[in-house]
Amino acid sequence: MRGALRAGIGFAHECSVGGCGACRFDLIEGEVQTLWADAPGLSERDRKRGKRLACQSRPLGDCRIRVRCDDANRPVVAPQRTQATLLMRRMVTGDIAEFTFAMPPAANFLPGQYALIYPPGVVGARAYSMSNLPEPGGRWRFMIRRMPGGEDRLRSRRWRALAALAREASGLPRHLAQHSGGMVVSATPLVELVPVVPAAFEGRRICQWDKDSCADAGFVKIDLLGLGMLSAVEECLDLIAEGHGRAPDLSRIGFDDPAVYAEIQDADTMGVFQIESRAQMQSLLQTRPENLDDLTVQVALIRPGPVSGGAVHPYVAHRRARRRNPDFVPPYDQRGTGFPRNYGGQADMGAIELSRFFMISKRVSNAAANM
């Protein structure tokens, strides 16, 4: 990787010590030596796919590799390898020291860049950012913090075990995505039931379970929606009031304007809440809603449950048949729409809840396999 950067190639790179994984590549031909086989920048999935880290690979001859390059990664100051002499060590605080090195060439680097230092008697490189600006005399200065009890930790079984666990956890997702505006309510303190971690926003916490696991545990999940379209409507009303002296009364706006439904049927719904997605637009051209009831069904149709349950295409076919023949009556499939009942003829609420779960859950196959 450093050879490519010295040649001015825009090779992706970041940490250069095997930790980030930005320099992954595929080896097509040739042979390379792996310097750090357990580098955390590669996940188990990467290793199974034959991925390698360029910063931890040394070519043993001519090689052909596949890698994605970008001109934005071209180094402004090309890396170079040189010998350095330690001139001075000055204690700045009780645990931070400034190390000053002298190198034959003049110091040439950008603020924020770092150097890979290979100290004698230490396996591998250590990356440190320079603490000074380039100097004509070729001085390089680094601020390095001493780790209390570092040598003892290297010999500690607990720290070696922690390092082994960190290698096993490398490549796993750090966390699931946060659901903005979602709240979970439980009868007992939530911290006693599920792992809870602090959010970036002060005073907020994140529940580590997903919505399906919360539903299985019987938690109440509430979503608060922030609708940008409502802000746009409010601003529009203010502008109308400024230009015409008064704002329109929204309660007097009818729901049967043919011009509005004509635009909806043509999928001219950019920015219209609930029917602005590409999936909704494509479906609107097929279902062609004519009133508020049709629009309600349309919004409910493009959801994970109806889509995975195969309800979209039958509904579209029935809508087309109804337009061709107003007397058309959709067939009633008792197997798909009837709720389970017990022998007494009353609805079995447990079976109804199970049916609802199968209709809306994304994990139908997993649930069916466990029954």
Side-chain angles (χ1 to χ4, degrees), residues 111-131:
Q113 281 192 307
Y114 58 86
L116 296 179
I117 301 178
Y118 294 83
V122 178
V123 179
R126 299 294 183 268
Y128 297 107
S129 294
M130 281 68 77
S131 61

Side-chain angles (χ1 to χ4, degrees), residues 60-321:
L60 301 179
D62 292 339
C63 297
R64 280 202 315 127
I65 67 173
R66 181 170 59 243
V67 65
R68 183 174 297 176
C69 296
D70 192 334
D71 289 342
N73 296 321
R74 291 177 181 267
V76 179
V77 179
Q80 56 180 333
R81 191 181 186 96
T82 184
Q83 297 288 331
T85 302
L86 178 62
L87 297 181
M88 181 180 62
R89 186 187 72 168
R90 179 175 65 91
M91 296 302 299
V92 179
T93 65
D95 59 347
I96 297 179
E98 181 186 58
F99 292 79
T100 302
F101 292 87
M103 301 183 191
N108 185 19
F109 54 85
L110 297 176
Q113 281 192 307
Y114 58 86
L116 296 179
I117 301 178
Y118 294 83
V122 178
V123 179
R126 299 294 183 268
Y128 297 107
S129 294
M130 281 68 77
S131 61
N132 65 311
L133 296 175
E135 300 177 4
R139 297 292 189 267
W140 298 63
R141 308 179 195 276
F142 304 91
M143 295 283 187
I144 302 177
R145 180 188 296 272
R146 174 187 298 167
M147 178 182 291
E151 295 181 358
D152 295 336
R153 294 184 181 185
L154 290 176
R155 294 188 293 266
S156 169
R157 292 179 57 186
R158 297 184 64 183
W159 278 92
R160 291 201 302 269
L162 177 61
L165 290 175
R167 286 193 293 269
E168 293 181 7
S170 175
L172 297 176
R174 294 183 180 181
H175 54 76
L176 297 176
Q178 178 181 353
H179 186 345
S180 300
M183 297 187 297
V184 177
V185 181
S186 65
T188 57
L190 201 61
V191 294
E192 299 179 3
L193 304 173
V194 59
V196 176
V197 298
F201 192 94
E202 185 177 357
R204 303 284 176 84
R205 299 293 183 268
I206 299 176
C207 171
Q208 293 189 6
W209 289 359
D210 61 10
K211 64 180 183 65
D212 296 315
S213 298
C214 289
D216 294 341
F219 296 157
V220 176
K221 185 174 71 69
I222 303 173
D223 294 338
L224 300 179
L225 299 180
L227 306 181
M229 183 50 59
L230 293 182
S231 299
V233 170
E234 183 180 11
E235 183 177 355
C236 182
L237 293 176
D238 293 339
L239 293 175
I240 294 175
E242 291 179 6
H244 298 274
R246 63 185 182 86
D249 186 357
L250 297 182
S251 64
R252 295 183 177 275
I253 296 178
F255 300 135
D256 54 355
D257 188 345
V260 173
Y261 287 101
E263 292 186 358
I264 293 176
Q265 292 172 5
D266 291 337
D268 187 8
T269 58
M270 183 66 68
V272 180
F273 178 62
Q274 293 283 25
I275 54 175
E276 63 179 331
S277 69
R278 186 171 298 275
Q280 285 284 357
M281 289 181 179
Q282 293 175 349
S283 180
L284 287 171
L285 296 173
Q286 305 295 327
T287 59
R288 303 183 65 82
E290 300 174 357
N291 50 53
L292 192 60
D293 291 340
D294 293 346
L295 203 56
T296 302
V297 175
Q298 170 64 38
V299 172
L301 192 65
I302 307 302
R303 300 290 297 170
V307 171
S308 61
V312 177
H313 293 297
Y315 177 80
V316 172
H318 296 162
R319 288 283 301 177
R320 289 176 176 174

